[in-house]
């Protein structure tokens, strides 16, 4: 599908060809050259209708066509019976056509120079790219890009792709839908947590539809100077309409589309009003679709969300296990490895697409640093926590502090393995063992998680009669889970929790964790010995110890 710029170029070329053809038709001499004897015979036959004399030739017009003979070969006596016309070599039509050609070439050169120098005129006259911003920011332009990201480059979005294929088909075959009376959606809102690939999805739509792609972040519309944000919005939509069909992608639209009212912000509201006006001003034939992304749909203004502006909402969630496998296969395609992708997918619960990309890259860098020829699962174990929580160096511990740490971590990893919580490996420096997740849990699963978070404190209290301050993060997570169970999930003794309900649940889970740890004392001791020697242990190793000892 040609873009409007290609259409304009084709129009200029076509106009130039037509002018050249017209000039050729008028300037070409179509007469047939004849000899003096042939001219004498034609004159004698009285078949000549018109005689035209020019500087070089004498033209004879007959019913059979135009003939010419050199002026030096004829004499005036030959044409005594004919009215002779003098030909004008400077035909005014030729001059007019030459002027048109010169003006056309001049305007084309002017446009090329304007684009190189960044000079733009008003949209009513000859214009280049539409200016963006103010004189204080310098002269810049809104430019479209042709996306090179395809759906084949994105793994794990099969459901999203189905939702968007209709829009792609509409942009490719608009007549099919218009003939049926259907109109193209004006806006598509991609909703999902950070890092799930919303921007890549928008680029893939533009690539599949083969249309120009205009990218802007919501924050870029927010200006200090009143009215400049609204101008940016107007310029962006004007550029997209000039190059329709096209896609406008506004990332983090909540930066400009927050609910109005309350705190006063005239500039942001003016920008939002301009955005609403531009989306309302679309015609059915404009061929422009607005794709926006946000992870905070609850803060968007209701006027922006109503039908007719964003007609379609597509929710992009964190990838499932199967989707993580698909994403990992994309990233591992060009990297030498000896991996079972399913194992890596199992150990990356809660990872988004961006985190998976970072994980594969960190594992690849680690394998290069260690001069290994292939990536292995061990490389992923070593970098997973670095990607999830950042690299933290274990503080220097004295012998007593290290003993507390080993007991604390041994209890956590044993309980986590006993209840089959999602993790693959524990290191002595781990702050968190299993990633937090917003997946729906039943009450039993939340209680398992609570026991794991409280197990370290319980084990230290059993063995040493006290625990260290390193329990602060696990205790905070446990309190948050209990609070949600009582206040949000209705999992207390009643739907409306009593004032001491949370304390009761927390103490009960702590006591149950203590009882379980006493029963698993042999396992805990064996895990402690491994952690003391290696400072790490895998879930598989703990499973074997549980099966052997219990």
């Amino acid at each position: 599908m040609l873009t409007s710029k290609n259409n304009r170029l084709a129009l200029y070329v076509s106009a130039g060809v037509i002018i050249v053809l017209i000039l050729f038709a008028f300037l070409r001499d179509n007469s047939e050259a004849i000899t003096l004897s042939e001219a004498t015979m034609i004159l004698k036959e009285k078949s000549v209708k018109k005689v035209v004399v020019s500087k070089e030739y004498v033209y004879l017009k007959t019913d059979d066509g135009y003939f010419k003979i050199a002026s030096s070969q004829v004499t005036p006596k030959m044409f005594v019976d004919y009215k002779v016309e003098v030909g004008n070599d400077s035909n005014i039509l030729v001059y007019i056509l030459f002027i048109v050609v010169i003006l056309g070439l001049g305007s084309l050169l002017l446009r090329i120079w304007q684009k190189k120098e960044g000079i733009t005129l008003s949209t009513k006259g000859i214009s280049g790219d539409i200016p963006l911003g103010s004189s204080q920011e310098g002269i810049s332009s809104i430019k479209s890009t042709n996306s090179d990201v395809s759906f084949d480059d994105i793994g794990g979005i099969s459901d999203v792709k189905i939702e968007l294929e209709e829009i792609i088909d509409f942009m490719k075959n608009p007549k099919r839908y218009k003939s049926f009376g259907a109109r193209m959606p004006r806006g598509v809102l991609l909703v999902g947590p950070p890092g799930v690939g919303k921007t890549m999805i928008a680029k893939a739509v533009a690539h599949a539809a083969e249309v120009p792609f205009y990218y802007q972040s919501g924050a870029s519309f927010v200006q200090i100077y009143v009215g400049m944000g609204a101008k940016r919005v107007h310029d962006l939509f004007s550029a997209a309409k000039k190059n329709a069909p096209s896609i406008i992608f506004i990332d983090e639209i909540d930066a400009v589309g927050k609910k109005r009212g309350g705190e006063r912000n005239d500039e942001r509201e003016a920008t939002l009003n301009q955005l609403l006006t531009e989306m309302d001003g679309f015609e059915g034939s404009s061929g422009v679709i607005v794709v926006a992304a946000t992870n905070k749909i609850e803060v968007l203004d209701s006027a922006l969300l109503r039908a007719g502006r964003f007609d379609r909402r597509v929710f992009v969630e964190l990838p499932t296990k199967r989707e993580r496998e698909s994403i990992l296969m994309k990233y591992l395609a060009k990297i030498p490895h000896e991996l079972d992708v399913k194992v890596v997918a199992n150990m990356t619960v809660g990872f988004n697409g961006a985190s998976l990309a970072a994980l594969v890259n960190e594992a690849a860098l680690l394998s290069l640093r260690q001069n290994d020829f292939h990536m292995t699962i061990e490389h992923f174990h070593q970098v997973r926590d670095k990607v999830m929580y950042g690299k933290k160096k274990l503080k220097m511990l004295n012998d007593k502090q290290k003993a507390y740490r080993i007991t604390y971590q041994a209890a956590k990893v044993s309980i986590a393995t006993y209840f089959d919580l999602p993790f693959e490996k524990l290191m002595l420096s781990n702050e968190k063992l299993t990633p937090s997740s917003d997946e729906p849990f039943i009450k039993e699963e939340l209680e398992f998680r609570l026991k794991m978070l409280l197990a370290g404190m319980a084990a230290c209290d059993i063995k040493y009669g006290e625990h260290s301050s390193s329990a602060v993060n696990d205790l905070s997570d446990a309190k948050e889970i209990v609070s949600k169970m009582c206040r949000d999930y209705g999992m207390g003794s009643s739907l409306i929790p009593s004032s001491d309900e949370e304390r009761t649940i927390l103490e009960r889970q702590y006591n149950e964790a203590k009882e379980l740890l006493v029963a698993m004392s042999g396992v805990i001791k064996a895990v402690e010995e491994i952690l003391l020697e290696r400072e790490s242990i895998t879930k598989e190793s703990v499973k074997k110890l549980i099966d052997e000892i219990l």
Side-chain angles (χ1 to χ4, degrees):
M1 184 183 293
L2 290 174
T3 64
S4 59
K5 289 184 179 178
N6 291 336
N7 289 335
R8 286 200 296 271
L9 180 61
L11 181 63
Y12 293 147
V13 173
S14 301
V17 171
I18 291 172
I19 291 172
V20 170
L21 291 175
I22 293 173
L23 285 172
F24 180 74
F26 276 98
L27 295 177
R28 192 180 67 163
D29 190 350
N30 294 320
S31 57
E32 180 183 349
I34 58 176
T35 63
L36 179 61
S37 59
E38 290 173 334
T40 303
M41 184 178 297
I42 291 173
L43 291 168
K44 285 183 179 181
E45 292 175 353
K46 304 294 183 180
S47 61
V48 177
K49 303 293 184 182
K50 185 178 180 181
V51 179
V52 180
V53 178
S54 67
K55 187 175 181 180
E56 295 182 357
Y57 293 100
V58 175
Y59 295 91
L60 306 177
K61 181 181 179 182
T62 68
D63 293 333
D64 296 329
Y66 269 101
F67 301 95
K68 66 180 179 181
I69 185 172
S71 299
S72 59
Q73 289 184 279
V74 298
T75 62
K77 292 182 180 181
M78 296 175 64
F79 308 106
V80 293
D81 297 329
Y82 296 94
K83 182 179 178 181
V84 179
E85 299 178 7
V86 178
N88 186 2
D89 290 334
S90 58
N91 195 320
I92 190 170
L93 181 60
V94 174
Y95 284 121
I96 292 173
L97 291 173
F98 272 120
I99 290 172
V100 170
V101 171
I102 291 171
L103 289 176
L105 290 175
S107 63
L108 183 60
L109 291 173
L110 178 62
R111 284 185 62 84
I112 295 172
W113 177 75
Q114 284 178 342
K115 289 183 178 181
K116 286 184 178 180
E117 297 296 326
I119 296 175
T120 56
L121 304 178
S122 75
T123 55
K124 293 183 179 180
I126 300 175
S127 64
D129 290 327
I130 297 179
L132 174 66
S134 62
S135 59
Q136 287 85 350
E137 298 174 311
I139 300 174
S140 56
S141 299
I142 296 178
K143 295 181 180 179
S144 65
T145 59
N146 291 318
S147 173
D148 58 354
V149 178
S150 68
F151 281 111
D152 292 335
D153 299 324
I154 312 173
I157 58 164
S158 55
D159 294 341
V160 175
K161 184 178 178 182
I162 293 171
E163 283 285 330
L164 297 173
E165 277 180 340
E166 187 176 64
I167 293 173
I168 296 169
D169 187 52
F170 201 121
M171 300 193 82
K172 283 187 170 183
N173 307 296
K175 291 182 180 179
R176 175 190 173 197
Y177 294 86
K178 289 176 183 177
S179 63
F180 196 73
R183 66 171 179 83
M184 181 166 60
R186 293 179 181 177
V188 178
L189 186 63
L190 300 176
V191 184
V196 293
K198 299 186 289 294
T199 302
M200 291 186 69
I201 290 169
K203 288 183 177 181
V205 172
H207 180 273
E210 299 176 347
V211 297
F213 179 77
Y214 292 86
Y215 173 87
Q216 288 289 312
S217 66
S220 67
F221 294 125
V222 180
Q223 295 290 313
I224 298 174
Y225 305 102
V226 176
M228 291 310 300
K231 183 181 183 300
R232 280 175 175 262
V233 174
H234 174 73
D235 291 347
L236 175 64
F237 279 76
S238 296
K241 289 176 185 177
K242 284 171 66 69
N243 293 282
S246 59
I247 289 176
I248 295 174
F249 178 65
I250 304 176
D251 199 5
E252 305 296 344
I253 194 172
D254 46 273
V256 70
K258 287 182 180 178
K259 293 177 182 177
R260 291 168 288 186
E263 295 182 4
R264 184 179 178 85
N265 189 327
D266 293 336
E267 170 59 9
R268 185 175 59 78
E269 290 194 5
T271 306
L272 174 58
N273 289 337
Q274 184 65 39
L275 178 61
L276 298 175
T277 301
E278 292 290 346
M279 293 192 72
D280 270 346
F282 278 0
E283 299 174 358
S285 58
S286 67
V288 178
I289 286 183
V290 181
V291 180
T294 182
N295 52 15
K296 298 178 181 178
I297 189 173
E298 66 278 0
V299 305
L300 294 181
D301 193 272
S302 57
L304 195 62
L305 295 175
R306 74 160 174 81
R309 290 195 175 112
F310 284 105
D311 301 288
R312 188 165 296 184
R313 300 179 195 178
V314 179
F315 290 86
V316 188
E317 302 293 346
L318 288 172
T320 62
K321 177 183 174 182
R322 183 173 297 179
E323 290 170 342
R324 291 197 299 274
E325 290 178 20
S326 176
I327 294 170
L328 287 165
M329 288 177 68
K330 297 286 183 184
Y331 292 130
L332 291 168
K334 297 181 180 179
I335 300 176
H337 64 274
E338 296 175 349
L339 289 167
D340 183 351
V341 178
K342 292 183 178 180
V343 174
V344 182
N346 282 333
M347 64 181 283
T348 51
V349 177
F351 274 58
N352 55 42
S355 298
L356 291 171
L359 179 69
V360 172
N361 187 61
E362 288 292 340
L365 292 174
L366 178 62
S367 65
L368 286 172
R369 285 198 299 269
Q370 295 179 349
N371 296 319
D372 293 327
F373 295 104
H374 297 87
M375 277 200 308
T376 64
I377 192 64
E378 186 60 29
H379 294 129
F380 281 88
H381 284 315
Q382 293 181 50
V383 301
R384 190 193 72 151
D385 288 344
K386 177 181 177 181
V387 173
M388 290 178 66
Y389 311 118
K391 183 67 174 176
K392 288 189 177 182
K393 187 176 181 179
L394 185 63
K395 296 179 181 179
M396 296 298 293
L397 303 176
N398 58 39
D399 292 341
K400 185 175 181 180
Q401 290 171 335
K402 189 173 182 180
Y404 273 65
R405 184 71 178 176
I406 289 173
T407 300
Y408 189 94
Q409 294 291 69
K412 281 182 64 176
V413 75
S414 299
I415 295 295
T417 305
Y418 183 83
F419 290 118
D420 198 24
L421 297 179
F423 82 99
E424 291 298 321
K425 185 177 182 179
L426 175 133
M427 299 182 69
L428 205 56
S429 59
N430 281 47
E431 289 291 335
K432 293 187 178 182
L433 180 60
T434 61
S436 58
S437 174
D438 292 328
E439 293 180 8
F441 292 105
I442 60 176
K443 183 179 179 181
E444 183 183 59
E445 292 172 328
L446 292 171
E447 289 177 343
F448 292 162
R449 196 173 184 84
L450 283 172
K451 288 183 178 69
M452 180 271 296
L453 293 170
L454 300 172
M457 288 184 292
C460 288
D461 291 343
I462 293 171
K463 188 171 182 178
Y464 306 109
E466 60 182 358
H467 58 264
S468 69
S469 61
S470 60
V472 59
N473 292 325
D474 287 335
L475 184 58
S476 176
D477 289 346
K479 289 177 180 178
E480 183 180 355
I481 292 174
V482 171
S483 177
K484 287 184 177 180
M485 288 175 66
C486 295
R487 300 175 186 274
D488 299 338
Y489 307 151
M491 293 181 178
S493 57
S494 62
L495 293 178
I496 300 176
S498 59
S499 57
D500 61 345
E501 183 77 23
E502 294 178 21
R503 179 179 60 82
T504 301
I505 293 177
L506 206 58
E507 289 182 351
R508 184 175 71 247
Q509 295 303 318
Y510 176 82
N511 292 328
E512 289 179 4
K514 253 188 175 182
E515 292 175 6
L516 183 58
L517 289 170
V518 171
M520 296 177 65
S521 58
V523 175
I524 305 295
K525 185 177 180 181
V527 173
E528 285 178 334
E529 291 174 357
I530 294 174
L531 287 176
L532 180 61
E533 179 184 354
R534 304 177 188 172
E535 295 190 351
S536 66
I537 192 169
T538 63
K539 185 178 182 180
E540 192 63 33
S541 298
V542 180
K543 275 185 180 179
K544 289 180 181 178
L545 292 173
I546 291 174
D547 292 339
E548 291 172 3
I549 298 173
L550 293 185

